[in-house]
Amino acid sequence: MLLACLSVVLIVGTWQASASYRWVDPIFLPGPLEVLGALKGIVTDPGFASDLSVSANEFFWGLGLSVLVGGTLGILSGWYGAVDEFLRPVVTALNSIPHLALIPLLVLLFGIGVLPKVLLVLLSCIVVMLMNTAAGVRSVDTQLLRMAKSFGASDRQIVCAVVLPSVVPFFMTGLRICVGKAVVAVAMSELFGSTAGIGNILIKAQSAMDMSRMYAAVVLLTVIGIALTQLAAALEAAMQQWKA
Amino acid sequence: MTVIFQEQEVSPPGSCVDAPTKLQIRDLRVTFSSRGKNFVAVNGIDLEVRDGEFIAIVGPSGSGKSTFLMALDGLTPSSGGEIAVDGKVVTGPGRDRAVVFQDSCLLPWRNVLDNVSFGLEMAGMPKGERYEIARELIGLAGLTQFETFHPKQLSGGMQQRVNIARALAADPQVLLLDEPFSGLDAQTREIMQGELLKIWDERKKTAIFVTHQIDEAVFLADRVIAFSARPARIAGEWSIPFPRPRHLSIKQSPEHRALEDSIWQVVRQEGALAAA
């Protein structure tokens, strides 16, 4: 923890020194204090709430759909070999394309509203959720299945009492990874054409040559990404205390 | 070769001689296929187990003891013959039988209380009732302070106590134990043998205990049955005369030793046949 703090202090210190001693022209790299001031400006801006809610909307819809659809398909393809085989080409393809390369395509097809952002988050996350959940189902201990059968459990009881709980750790790991991916997908797709959102604040500041505001938007995105990932990690840990 | 003890020479145990038949096995056959070939694991076993009787089954490794037990539970289908509990023919797993598994097979995300009440939960019993029954057995297994612990936090011996308590909580007619102490160190195993008898003396469930430890079989059982090398048939049968409750010290007695020797000779001979 101490070392982690030290590395942050070191980076911010170098950044401040660069501004003070003009190692880099402050027009291109304003100092941390100015960026902090600009960050305050962004957050207190009356329009900020609506920008935040647009990005949050894109994030939660995209992630929510990925979890729901990816999780369900993952359970099915983990359990039924036929579903796995049927989905495999799509999964492999989706897993191999760089998702950000799809942004221009999505903008062309769906414009610059909320929909293409939700779709990009979905494309970035659904395969991760699917593959993790499917791996979880496949890893179910067959001895435990046999034990449950021996106690006369029905198929439904086996799924609820044995299969789903064993999938939880895999599912939660997938969710933690996807939170980070979703933040990136929202920000990137907003940069490539948007009318609102935190990525939109960033790209507008850049066009206006307001460098402090642009860096502030980057910092804001970083902080949001870290906070959400930490939250997911805490949730992940809380849901598998029995593993300790 | 002289066999010191034949079954006729040993006086039968007093407790359950007159008890009605609990488990009836007639000409049981179990085959399984591996890589397209059929193997006969169990070939024509007849066995009658009385109510409250404790049977131990020994035999050389790979003799089909565990397969036999899984067939009794209905997890492995039999390919011939008949198994009946209280006259009712077994067609699959049922609530009249419960297994104590070799690996404890506890659900790692559930605490001791929820693991012990698993069978009752599957039977649809409401929470309050099943917890009451589970707590009673947890107490009997000496685990009351560990009720809220998860399996990872328990020693191997404690996990097996939970395993036993879970099977007993389901209140089966017949308890099937599949080498439950084979994964434990020698010292813990001895302690668990004593503990098992203590719990069993309270409940007097009809029990079939599969093991490869002959001393364990003699110490625990009313009757020891030796299986032949695969395909399994009954190679020998011994009544164990020691009165109950039994104390671990009887293992040191010459009678105990002599029985072990007698069983060991049969098992060793069968083991040699299997290796040949």
Side-chain angles (χ1 to χ4, degrees):
Chain A
M1 194 61 199
L2 196 72
L3 283 173
C5 289
L6 187 68
S7 78
V8 173
V9 168
L10 215 69
I11 290 167
V12 176
T14 315
W15 182 11
Q16 180 60 56
S18 148
S20 305
Y21 301 106
R22 295 185 164 269
W23 294 339
V24 180
D25 191 333
I27 290 177
F28 300 120
L29 183 59
L33 286 174
E34 279 163 79
V35 171
L36 199 67
L39 187 60
K40 207 178 147 202
I42 292 179
V43 177
T44 52
D45 195 310
F48 177 66
S50 82
D51 277 318
L52 187 66
S53 85
V54 165
S55 291
N57 238 331
E58 294 159 354
F59 174 86
F60 284 113
W61 274 103
L63 191 64
L65 282 174
S66 303
V67 166
L68 221 65
V69 180
T72 309
L73 290 178
I75 285 169
L76 289 174
S77 75
W79 199 251
Y80 300 107
V83 178
D84 181 46
E85 208 180 318
F86 178 73
L87 290 175
R88 201 174 304 148
V90 186
V91 168
T92 315
L94 269 180
N95 200 34
S96 327
I97 354 169
H99 305 108
L100 304 181
L102 295 172
I103 297 175
L105 203 82
L106 291 172
V107 169
L108 207 64
L109 288 172
F110 304 105
I112 56 170
V114 169
L115 182 62
K117 280 79 173 176
V118 172
L119 286 176
L120 188 73
V121 175
L122 190 67
L123 287 170
S124 311
C125 297
I126 193 167
V127 171
V128 176
M129 286 314 297
L130 191 156
M131 292 203 303
N132 269 279
T133 315
V137 172
R138 279 188 216 104
S139 78
V140 172
D141 188 345
T142 50
Q143 301 262 57
L144 294 183
L145 295 177
R146 210 171 59 136
M147 182 279 293
K149 256 182 221 147
S150 146
F151 278 104
S154 65
D155 283 357
R156 207 181 129 170
Q157 283 176 318
I158 289 175
V159 169
C160 292
V162 182
V163 179
L164 291 181
S166 0
V167 172
V168 167
F170 290 81
F171 179 85
M172 291 307 297
T173 305
L175 185 63
R176 173 172 49 78
I177 297 167
C178 285
V179 163
K181 282 175 146 312
V183 171
V184 170
V186 165
M188 288 303 284
S189 55
E190 283 175 354
L191 292 184
F192 277 85
S194 58
T195 51
I198 296 174
N200 185 259
I201 297 177
L202 196 160
I203 201 75
K204 271 204 303 220
Q206 194 218 33
S207 319
M209 281 301 278
D210 186 349
M211 289 300 129
S212 304
R213 196 175 163 84
M214 190 191 87
Y215 280 103
V218 173
V219 170
L220 186 61
L221 280 169
T222 311
V223 169
I224 290 173
I226 291 173
L228 287 171
T229 306
Q230 288 299 316
L231 194 72
L235 196 64
E236 184 186 4
M239 286 189 73
Q240 43 188 313
Q241 278 168 336
W242 50 268
K243 270 195 161 180
Chain B
M1 190 196 76
T2 48
V3 176
I4 305 166
F5 278 89
Q6 286 291 9
E7 53 185 305
Q8 300 90 334
E9 291 170 333
V10 179
S11 60
S15 58
C16 51
V17 167
D18 305 321
T21 300
K22 177 57 78 174
L23 174 67
Q24 176 95 49
I25 299 157
R26 265 190 295 267
D27 195 28
L28 183 70
R29 283 172 54 88
V30 182
T31 51
F32 63 93
S33 55
S34 171
R35 295 182 189 161
K37 280 186 179 171
N38 281 328
F39 294 93
V40 180
V42 176
N43 193 10
I45 283 188
D46 290 289
L47 184 63
E48 200 168 304
V49 183
R50 293 179 293 269
D51 190 14
E53 195 177 12
F54 196 126
I55 302 268
I57 296 174
V58 295
S61 309
S63 63
K65 306 185 289 286
S66 289
T67 309
F68 173 72
L69 202 71
M70 289 304 123
L72 293 190
D73 190 51
L75 281 171
T76 299
S78 57
S79 48
E82 194 180 85
I83 303 160
V85 177
D86 287 328
K88 268 192 306 193
V89 174
V90 166
T91 52
R95 311 214 193 278
D96 52 354
R97 287 146 291 138
V99 180
V100 176
F101 291 91
Q102 185 171 3
D103 307 311
S104 60
C105 283
L106 302 177
L107 298 171
W109 51 84
R110 287 186 174 215
N111 64 22
V112 168
L113 183 60
D114 282 317
N115 264 298
V116 172
S117 49
F118 180 80
L120 301 170
E121 185 183 334
M122 294 303 110
M125 187 183 280
K127 203 170 214 169
E129 271 175 68
R130 65 176 191 255
Y131 277 1
E132 195 178 319
I133 294 170
R135 286 209 169 95
E136 202 179 309
L137 280 143
I138 290 168
L140 208 54
L143 291 169
T144 301
Q145 309 99 292
F146 301 99
E147 204 180 278
T148 57
F149 280 47
H150 284 85
K152 277 260 168 73
Q153 298 167 291
L154 303 175
S155 68
M158 286 159 104
Q159 290 180 9
Q160 284 308 55
R161 287 173 201 229
V162 178
N163 190 2
I164 293 167
R166 174 177 62 190
L168 283 170
D171 197 26
Q173 294 298 310
V174 179
L175 192 61
L176 306 168
L177 303 103
D178 185 14
E179 305 193 36
F181 306 145
S182 65
L184 305 175
D185 61 82
Q187 207 183 340
T188 312
R189 189 188 303 144
E190 290 257 312
I191 295 167
M192 289 299 296
Q193 289 163 4
E195 287 290 308
L196 176 64
L197 277 200
K198 214 178 78 195
I199 297 170
W200 186 79
D201 281 333
E202 290 273 328
R203 299 283 158 140
K204 291 275 185 253
K205 289 279 173 209
T206 309
I208 315 280
F209 188 104
V210 164
T211 177
H212 54 252
Q213 298 286 121
I214 290 165
D215 67 314
E216 185 170 89
V218 173
F219 173 66
L220 294 173
D222 297 313
R223 188 148 55 116
V224 174
I225 287 165
F227 272 18
S228 68
R230 212 178 68 214
R233 21 165 213 89
I234 293 176
E237 194 176 323
W238 295 262
S239 285
I240 310 298
F242 306 116
R244 293 180 191 276
R246 292 174 186 172
H247 188 262
L248 279 165
S249 59
I250 65 162
K251 282 194 177 180
Q252 315 304 328
S253 68
E255 293 86 353
H256 201 283
R257 290 274 164 80
L259 272 165
E260 284 179 46
D261 268 351
S262 158
I263 297 167
W264 173 231
Q265 288 197 30
V266 172
V267 171
R268 186 171 50 192
Q269 203 182 11
E270 288 298 332
L273 281 175

